[in-house]
Amino acid sequence: MDTSLPPDNGNYSSNGTFDTWFGGPPADVSAQAGIQLRAFFLNLAVSLSLFAFAILAFFLLKSSAIGRRIYQPKTYLVQDRLRVDAVPADPIRWIRRIFSIRDEELKRKCGLDGYFFIRFLRAILLIFVPSMVVVVTVLLPINYNKGKGNNFHNTTDGGRSQWNVAGLDTLSWQNVDPARTSRYWAHLVCAILVISWALFRMYREKVHFIDVRQRFLTSPEHRLKASARTILVTNIPSEYRSKEALEALYDVFVDNDDRSRLVVWVNRDYKSLRKLVARRRSLRHALEKEELRIMRLCNKKFRKTGKVTDGNHIDEKNIRDSDIVDDTQPLRQEQVQQRLTRIFEHDCSEETQLWRNYLKPSAASKMSLIRGAGDEWKPASFFKFWVSGESRKAPKVAWLRTEIARLTIQIDALLTELDSDALFKKQNSAFIQFDRQMAAHMACSLVSHSKAGRMAPRFLEVAPHEVVWANMDVTSLGRLIRTCIALVLFVAILLLWGIPTTILGSLSQLASLSYSVGWLSWLRNWPSWILGLISGPLVSILLALLIQLVVPALARKLAVLVGAPTKTKREIITQNFYFTFLFIELVLLTAVSSSVVKIVPQIVDNPVSVPTLLATNIPSSANYFFNYLIVQSLSYSGSVLFQFLRILYITTIWPWFTQTPREEAWLQTTIPHQMWGNVYALFTNFAAIGFIFSVVSPLILVFVSATFSLFWVAYRHNYYFVQRNKIDTHGLLFNNALSQLFSGIYVMEIALIGLFLLVRDSNDNVSCKSQAIIMIVVLILTAAFHFVMEQHLRPLYEFLPVTIEDTAADAEQRLLSVIRDDSRVSKDEETGHEINEGDDVDSETALANTTDGASDERAQTKNMSATARNARKALLGLGKDTAARIKDFQVHLPAQPDISRRREVADQLSAAIAGYPDELTDLTPEERAAQLKAAFQDPVTRESAPVIWVPQDKAGISEDVLRQAAKYGQFLQYSNAGAYLADNNKVEVTQPAPDTRPDWLLDWVL
């Protein structure tokens, strides 16, 4: 390739104007600049098109039937306290509604993590928008005016050379002419202003976070929660792994060392029980699928023939009374097993089942069985070819029914021995509930054991549904080993992902590669729009998919491997892993790889120019991030609103699979929830990119501001109308994200130090040594500020201060008084007693009554002895009341499966969900005591017997199935309540599954 340059005849522009972008200089330079700009504008055009399509589709669908499910499920599919008004149909009213949502409303409807994530986007905008106004206004003219462009200059050896700065690079650092290095003082001032403003805003946001978090944690509604007064203690020595020993140790934190004010749950290893429950759930799913398959075939034939059968019911003479499992008489387990065997044989030979009137016997699925130990029939497996014995074919439904009943008998037997040390060994962790929130914080903040590492770490604000039960027995040594393994795997992921990331980063410089790499010279013959498409939107989209789909799931697995005991801790560790990955792979590695392909050939040709080449070319990697941020701000923000994948899943993918009533109820009642570790890390990385390139390439501030502005609107809609919280760290992820922003500031400062030292004037002398020294001082001051701020504020967001305890306790007592008064009014109304003025009591009496009630509640909880067996019994009454309320909501549905029917189905499902208790204040003191008693017991110990849920159908198959299954008694129950098989053979549900725990909505408030 001929690299000779023409003489400087003055025909070219002297300042790198738009003439250099579209023509003028030598062919290779102009071609590269043109391709870079074409890639940029093509990327912008593609992203704008995708954004416009997503927004248009969102506005067209959001008020439709499917749009109600996708874009506003929180208007009808959540408990009453979380429901919001419908999304305005008019786009102008919609955007006004988005901007008019108040902070307090966001906290109530979205939780603290939802509120703080919106606050994080706002905080970044408050940092970058003012910075953009100042930096862009000052530096763009300085960088562009009389810059290098494609001008010729004299080299130190007396020759002539040409600068190679074109395209968007003319607006950045490397375009400053060596003869005008005094301009870099403007870059130094702008850098100091950006850093100072960012540090000030970050400090203000941390102070605001502490204030909001403390006010939320001390609110009377939160203090009533079990998690507010409970700590998780891990790594407990064997001598303290008992209820009595832990009470004796921690009674110092309650009044008068009264142990009756403490409730202790010592965790046990219920792995064997958990395996049985998991297998029973799997078999329940298989049985429901098979029952539904047969039911659909029968109803399809019933609709074709129009024949109404009289229904052949169970022939009572074929079943002896001794074969029916009697729930009222106590039987030995062996006797029940023998009766189940006889019932199984009867089901295999049963010929009076109603479905046989419509289908041939061969329509029922068969399965191969082998007689095992204890005369039990087990499925034959191809992979266990060595197993021999008597074999047979049996109806799949009959075997599944019998096997579920057998498992229920085994599980029920284990549930009566939950406190047995022989069956379930104690683990080295326990939950301890105190009578006051402040006592829990004091117990967590003080050292519990005289030996290092014992009874530590301890965790506050542990919600029962966030416990990772598999990690309840991790020792300190085990946690250390797990952490080392996780770090090794994380490094392996970094190395593995570095290969495709480097390749994509190199592809973003495809135009440069075609001129600098000889064997890629054939790319010069390609049309420029193809090169622009590959190096622009294609690379950006592939990189986003590569990093945002797979890596977060792997990071979350690593967090569990480390030994995170709660999902809150898991999300914080996931955030750290994922942000580290993004910062290394997406920022550092991608930035280097997208510049190395340009630098290496030039270094080979002219090794003396290494400092100049580094200072000139490394900042040009910002062009890559321009394209990346365009894709994120337009395409991704549009997809956040449009939710294309969710629409595709619900309307296209899901209908291809068999939808049992349970699956349909799960689909219709499950609301998207945010995995906070993913989203915080991703947007923190966006902000870090903005900091790093804010001075080097000021145009990046425009793209970062646009990105966060669009996402601020998109996520305000999603968190308010669509998503709900399953995990709430109470803002800890927000605080962690603010601290992670310092990584971007540090890299920015270090990069500027290096760039200042690499700046050379026209005589090839270092000309910005003073700026570099000042930036070193700024780096030291930033690190000092970071350290002092963290040390100063950390105790305030980890623990509650004693100064607010009295005020919080008074507010809690007032709330309890209101609850007690409301309960008394309700009882008086039921008994017909009229409330007169003379019935009023003074405030002191009311407060005393409230205190006595709280003491009674603690006594009831204490008397329950904190065992799993009593915890299960405590929920039975609540379940019966809930089932009765739900039954009242079921009304007749329209005959045709039209829009009105679908709307009625959705409304009935909404009413059924509203029938479940969703706040502790909704419960009576007795119910609340029972709920708190069951809060921190392993959920598997409260597992109820499954109910096989089949839909009602016109052919009457479900009614016949219910009669057929009656002989199994309590060990196998069927229900067709709230499920319907429509004329199109699709399942419709108007309530959650009958065996849904009655306290499932209370998981979010415990």
Side-chain angles (χ1 to χ4, degrees):
M1 183 176 64
D2 184 11
T3 58
S4 60
L5 299 174
D8 185 5
N9 54 14
N11 293 330
Y12 303 118
S13 174
S14 62
N15 59 359
T17 60
F18 288 97
D19 295 336
T20 67
W21 291 6
F22 297 102
D28 58 337
V29 177
S30 62
Q32 293 178 38
I35 291 174
Q36 288 180 2
L37 282 177
R38 288 188 185 97
F40 172 77
F41 286 115
L42 185 59
N43 190 27
L44 182 61
V46 171
S47 299
L48 279 173
S49 300
L50 293 175
F51 178 77
F53 170 77
I55 293 299
L56 180 61
F58 168 75
F59 284 124
L60 290 177
L61 293 177
K62 65 183 176 65
S63 298
S64 63
I66 186 65
R68 187 188 185 205
R69 177 69 184 89
I70 299 294
Y71 302 121
Q72 44 185 323
K74 289 176 70 174
T75 61
Y76 72 103
L77 277 183
V78 296
Q79 49 268 48
D80 290 336
R81 67 183 178 87
L82 294 180
R83 292 190 182 181
V84 298
D85 296 333
V87 177
D90 180 56
I92 302 300
R93 292 180 56 200
W94 171 77
I95 195 67
R96 287 178 180 173
R97 181 71 183 101
I98 293 299
F99 278 87
S100 65
I101 300 174
R102 300 186 307 275
D103 287 349
E104 292 302 321
E105 194 173 4
L106 274 176
K107 295 173 190 175
R108 291 196 307 270
K109 305 297 184 181
C110 308
L112 278 192
D113 276 338
Y115 163 76
F116 274 121
F117 180 72
I118 301 298
R119 179 84 184 188
F120 180 73
L121 299 180
R122 173 183 177 273
I124 299 302
L125 285 173
L126 287 178
I127 291 174
F128 281 109
V129 171
S131 300
M132 176 189 66
V133 173
V134 175
V135 175
V136 171
T137 303
V138 173
L139 292 187
L140 284 190
I142 292 177
N143 293 337
Y144 182 75
N145 188 36
K146 296 182 180 181
K148 294 176 181 177
N150 294 305
N151 298 326
F152 289 90
H153 63 96
N154 297 323
T155 60
T156 55
D157 56 3
R160 297 280 290 171
S161 181
Q162 184 185 22
W163 299 115
N164 184 13
V165 180
L168 296 176
D169 291 344
T170 59
L171 303 175
S172 60
W173 172 286
Q174 63 264 40
N175 196 46
V176 178
D177 194 287
R180 299 175 176 86
T181 55
S182 59
R183 294 185 176 186
Y184 285 112
W185 283 105
H187 295 78
L188 175 65
V189 173
C190 288
I192 294 175
L193 288 176
V194 170
I195 295 169
S196 301
W197 174 246
L199 296 183
F200 171 74
R201 290 306 315 169
M202 290 160 63
Y203 174 77
R204 293 292 301 168
E205 291 299 330
K206 280 182 172 281
V207 171
H208 173 78
F209 155 73
I210 291 172
D211 178 62
V212 173
R213 176 176 165 86
Q214 289 182 352
R215 283 192 284 111
F216 176 83
L217 295 181
T218 57
S219 63
E221 292 81 7
H222 181 78
R223 286 169 63 94
L224 283 176
K225 296 181 180 181
S227 58
R229 297 178 282 116
T230 305
I231 66 172
L232 169 62
V233 184
T234 61
N235 202 29
I236 301 176
S238 56
E239 62 268 21
Y240 285 102
R241 295 178 192 174
S242 68
K243 175 174 169 290
E244 294 75 14
L246 289 173
E247 285 181 346
L249 180 65
Y250 283 99
D251 62 2
V252 67
F253 297 104
V254 296
D255 294 338
N256 300 321
D257 294 347
D258 186 1
R259 298 182 186 180
S260 65
R261 296 175 178 268
L262 289 174
V263 182
V264 176
W265 293 268
V266 179
N267 296 319
R268 292 179 180 269
D269 183 8
Y270 292 115
K271 185 180 299 183
S272 58
L273 177 60
R274 192 175 289 109
K275 288 182 179 178
L276 292 176
V277 170
R279 174 167 169 75
R280 186 173 65 177
R281 289 177 180 173
S282 176
L283 296 179
R284 178 192 65 188
H285 175 66
L287 179 56
E288 289 178 344
K289 288 181 64 175
E290 183 63 17
E291 296 280 14
L292 179 61
R293 187 186 68 83
I294 295 176
M295 194 175 299
R296 279 175 166 166
L297 293 175
C298 292
N299 279 269
K300 183 178 181 180
K301 191 165 186 180
F302 170 77
R303 285 190 295 272
K304 285 184 178 179
T305 60
K307 177 182 177 182
V308 180
T309 64
D310 56 358
N312 296 329
H313 307 318
I314 296 178
D315 186 357
E316 301 294 343
K317 297 180 180 179
N318 291 338
I319 303 179
R320 300 190 304 270
D321 292 339
S322 59
D323 290 341
I324 301 177
V325 178
D326 190 355
D327 302 342
T328 60
Q329 298 180 1
L331 297 174
R332 294 195 307 271
Q333 186 171 344
E334 295 79 5
Q335 293 177 310
V336 177
Q337 295 284 5
Q338 292 173 2
R339 294 191 178 187
L340 285 179
T341 300
R342 290 196 294 268
I343 293 175
F344 168 69
E345 296 295 341
H346 177 270
D347 274 352
C348 290
S349 59
E350 177 62 61
E351 297 181 356
T352 60
Q353 296 169 344
L354 182 58
W355 67 266
R356 293 177 180 270
N357 290 358
Y358 300 97
L359 305 175
K360 295 180 181 180
S362 59
S365 299
K366 303 284 186 178
M367 59 187 306
S368 300
L369 302 176
I370 295 181
R371 188 186 294 275
D375 291 336
E376 293 184 9
W377 292 99
K378 298 183 177 180
S381 174
F382 172 78
F383 298 101
K384 296 182 179 180
F385 55 87
W386 62 87
V387 178
S388 60
E390 181 184 354
S391 62
R392 64 179 294 186
K393 291 279 188 179
K396 185 176 182 179
V397 169
W399 183 83
L400 287 172
R401 289 175 179 174
T402 305
E403 189 64 17
I404 292 175
R406 291 184 191 277
L407 286 173
T408 300
I409 293 172
Q410 296 179 33
I411 292 172
D412 287 348
L414 290 177
L415 289 177
T416 61
E417 302 292 337
L418 290 175
D419 300 315
S420 171
D421 292 335
L423 292 176
F424 307 110
K425 73 178 186 69
K426 293 180 179 179
Q427 297 178 318
N428 66 346
S429 62
F431 294 96
I432 304 174
Q433 188 175 105
F434 298 86
D435 61 335
R436 291 176 293 117
Q437 184 184 40
M438 189 55 61
H441 280 257
M442 290 189 295
C444 198
S445 61
L446 296 178
V447 178
S448 295
H449 200 277
S450 57
K451 293 184 179 180
R454 299 293 181 90
M455 305 191 76
R458 295 174 298 279
F459 300 90
L460 282 164
E461 299 293 338
V462 179
H465 72 282
E466 293 185 5
V467 178
V468 181
W469 295 101
N471 286 341
M472 286 294 101
D473 199 28
V474 180
T475 62
S476 296
L477 179 60
R479 186 173 287 106
L480 176 61
I481 296 174
R482 283 165 166 250
T483 302
C484 294
I485 295 174
L487 291 176
V488 171
L489 293 176
F490 181 68
V491 172
I493 293 174
L494 286 175
L495 296 176
L496 178 65
W497 253 259
I499 298 173
T501 304
T502 303
I503 293 174
L504 290 176
S506 300
L507 288 178
S508 69
Q509 300 290 336
L510 200 58
S512 299
L513 285 171
S514 65
Y515 285 92
S516 59
V517 181
W519 61 272
L520 290 178
S521 59
W522 54 273
L523 289 174
R524 303 175 197 171
N525 299 324
W526 282 26
S528 58
W529 67 270
I530 293 181
L531 294 179
L533 180 65
I534 295 175
S535 60
L538 183 59
V539 170
S540 300
I541 292 173
L542 288 177
L543 183 66
L545 293 177
L546 177 69
I547 289 180
Q548 295 177 21
L549 292 183
V550 181
V551 178
L554 295 178
R556 191 162 283 102
K557 293 293 184 181
L558 291 179
V560 176
L561 176 62
V562 166
T566 67
K567 294 177 182 178
T568 291
K569 188 66 176 177
R570 184 195 68 185
E571 288 304 301
I572 294 175
I573 298 175
T574 300
Q575 179 191 23
N576 293 332
F577 272 130
Y578 190 34
F579 174 75
T580 304
F581 175 89
L582 290 174
F583 195 72
I584 294 175
E585 293 285 349
L586 186 59
V587 178
L588 301 182
L589 181 60
T590 303
V592 172
S593 65
S594 62
S595 293
V596 164
V597 296
K598 299 172 61 177
I599 294 174
V600 172
Q602 300 180 53
I603 293 177
V604 173
D605 294 336
N606 187 8
V608 180
S609 63
V610 170
T612 304
L613 289 174
L614 289 175
T616 301
N617 290 297
I618 286 182
S620 66
S621 61
N623 295 336
Y624 173 81
F625 292 104
F626 290 159
N627 291 323
Y628 177 70
L629 289 175
I630 287 174
V631 170
Q632 295 296 324
S633 62
L634 294 176
S635 303
Y636 187 37
S637 65
S639 67
V640 167
L641 277 178
F642 181 44
Q643 300 184 58
F644 170 75
L645 291 179
R646 184 163 175 79
I647 292 178
L648 183 67
Y649 178 77
I650 291 179
T651 60
T652 305
I653 298 177
W654 186 262
W656 284 92
F657 299 92
T658 301
Q659 292 180 0
T660 64
R662 192 179 305 276
E663 292 173 327
E664 182 67 17
W666 177 87
L667 178 69
Q668 297 300 333
T669 59
T670 299
I671 294 178
H673 62 277
Q674 188 66 65
M675 305 305 289
W676 293 113
N678 305 6
V679 68
Y680 268 103
L682 182 64
F683 284 91
T684 306
N685 192 68
F686 291 162
I689 292 173
F691 281 123
I692 293 171
F693 294 96
S694 59
V695 176
V696 174
S697 186
L699 199 60
I700 200 78
L701 294 173
V702 177
F703 296 101
V704 173
S705 299
T707 298
F708 280 90
S709 298
L710 292 174
F711 278 112
W712 183 83
V713 174
Y715 277 109
R716 277 177 79 88
H717 170 89
N718 271 13
Y719 290 157
Y720 189 74
F721 291 103
V722 181
Q723 296 178 339
R724 69 173 301 166
N725 274 355
K726 265 193 172 181
I727 302 170
D728 199 335
T729 68
H730 303 137
L732 291 178
L733 290 168
F734 171 81
N735 180 71
N736 205 26
L738 290 176
S739 298
Q740 289 171 347
L741 289 177
F742 277 93
S743 60
I745 296 177
Y746 289 141
V747 173
M748 167 194 174
E749 294 170 342
I750 294 172
L752 286 176
I753 292 171
L755 287 171
F756 281 134
L757 292 175
L758 289 175
V759 171
R760 299 292 188 272
D761 58 19
S762 55
N763 295 322
D764 202 27
N765 296 321
V766 177
S767 58
C768 292
K769 188 181 299 183
S770 300
Q771 291 94 322
I773 294 174
I774 294 174
M775 188 52 61
I776 292 174
V777 175
V778 172
L779 174 62
I780 296 173
L781 292 177
T782 302
F785 175 83
H786 186 192
F787 176 79
V788 173
M789 182 181 67
E790 292 294 340
Q791 294 297 316
H792 178 65
L793 298 180
R794 180 177 290 113
L796 294 177
Y797 62 73
E798 288 185 351
F799 305 107
L800 293 176
V802 179
T803 54
I804 62 177
E805 172 62 16
D806 291 340
T807 303
D810 292 341
E812 180 184 7
Q813 293 295 346
R814 287 193 297 271
L815 177 62
L816 289 174
S817 298
V818 172
I819 296 172
R820 181 176 296 278
D821 292 341
D822 291 343
S823 176
R824 181 170 60 85
V825 170
S826 299
K827 291 180 179 179
D828 289 339
E829 290 177 351
E830 292 176 2
T831 58
H833 176 69
E834 294 184 1
I835 302 176
N836 302 317
E837 293 182 1
D839 295 332
D840 293 339
V841 295
D842 57 60
S843 58
E844 294 183 1
T845 304
L847 184 60
N849 292 338
T850 304
T851 305
D852 292 341
S855 300
D856 292 340
E857 180 179 324
R858 287 194 299 270
Q860 293 173 17
T861 307
K862 178 65 181 180
N863 292 335
M864 298 293 286
S865 73
T867 62
R869 181 171 57 255
N870 290 333
R872 292 177 58 249
K873 295 178 181 179
L875 297 175
L876 294 179
L878 183 61
K880 293 179 181 179
D881 294 340
T882 303
R885 286 194 298 269
I886 293 177
K887 187 176 181 180
D888 295 337
F889 298 140
Q890 307 301 315
V891 297
H892 179 69
L893 291 172
Q896 298 298 324
D898 53 11
I899 295 178
S900 63
R901 177 187 175 92
R902 289 196 294 268
R903 185 85 178 192
E904 181 65 25
V905 168
D907 290 341
Q908 288 197 36
L909 183 59
S910 170
I913 293 175
Y916 286 88
D918 63 340
E919 277 286 0
L920 289 176
T921 53
D922 295 339
L923 307 179
T924 64
E926 294 77 13
E927 290 174 334
R928 185 164 62 250
Q931 185 60 34
L932 294 176
K933 173 65 191 72
F936 289 96
Q937 202 67 49
D938 193 325
V940 74
T941 65
R942 305 197 298 273
E943 188 79 14
S944 58
V947 175
I948 310 303
W949 198 18
V950 295
Q952 303 173 27
D953 65 305
K954 292 185 177 180
I957 304 298
S958 67
E959 294 295 336
D960 182 68
V961 168
L962 264 63
R963 288 189 290 268
Q964 292 278 349
K967 55 183 175 289
Y968 288 92
Q970 66 177 353
F971 302 113
L972 182 66
Q973 302 178 37
Y974 272 70
S975 175
N976 61 3
Y980 307 91
L981 191 64
D983 291 341
N984 58 1
N985 248 3
K986 299 293 184 181
V987 174
E988 296 174 342
V989 296
T990 59
Q991 68 172 54
D995 53 358
T996 300
R997 279 177 43 202
D999 61 340
W1000 68 291
L1001 289 179
L1002 290 173
D1003 284 344
W1004 279 271
V1005 297
L1006 285 176

